[in-house]
Amino acid sequence: MKRNILIAEGSIMLVKVELPEGFQGELDQHVEEQVSYIETGKLEFTLDGKVNVLSRGDALFMPSNVPHQVKVIEACTIIDVFTPIRSSLLKN
C-alpha cells in the first residue's frame, strides 16, 4: 500500500492511496467521516456488513464510526477525503 497525503488543512484531508491486486485491509473504524473516490481499478468495499463493488468513477461515503474493509480485485488508486483531518495518518 502506498499513501500520499495531498493536503491536510482546516478540517479537510485529501489522500491518494494506491493498492495492489489482492490487497485486503483490516477492518477499520474511525471517528472521521470519509468519502472514497475510485480513480482506477476495482475493489470490494464492505461498509457496515454490506458489500459494495466499486470501480473507476465510483464513490462511497463512510459515516463516522462505521466499520469498513477493503478487498482489491484489480490494482487501484483511491482518492480519500476525511473530515476532520485524520491525525493518525499524519504520524505514518
Side-chain angles (χ1 to χ4, degrees):
M1 173 199 327
K2 182 178 175 185
R3 182 181 287 142
N4 182 23
I5 297 172
L6 301 174
I7 191 165
E9 291 187 25
S11 62
I12 301 284
M13 174 183 256
L14 185 65
V15 181
K16 184 175 185 175
V17 181
E18 296 176 51
L19 300 172
E21 184 174 324
F23 176 87
Q24 183 167 334
E26 295 185 21
L27 187 63
D28 196 15
Q29 183 174 340
H30 44 78
V31 68
E32 300 83 7
E33 292 181 317
Q34 178 179 348
V35 172
S36 291
Y37 171 78
I38 312 309
E39 189 173 78
T40 63
K42 185 175 183 179
L43 54 96
E44 287 183 1
F45 215 111
T46 303
L47 179 64
D48 203 19
K50 181 182 176 199
V51 176
N52 303 274
V53 176
L54 305 174
S55 56
R56 184 175 185 255
D58 290 335
L60 184 68
F61 170 71
M62 283 151 275
S64 176
N65 289 314
V66 173
H68 54 277
Q69 186 173 27
V70 66
K71 180 179 178 182
V72 179
I73 299 168
E74 297 172 6
C76 62
T77 301
I78 304 169
I79 303 298
D80 284 330
V81 178
F82 296 95
T83 186
I85 290 173
R86 190 169 174 190
S87 58
S88 64
L89 296 182
L90 295 173
K91 299 170 185 164
N92 292 333

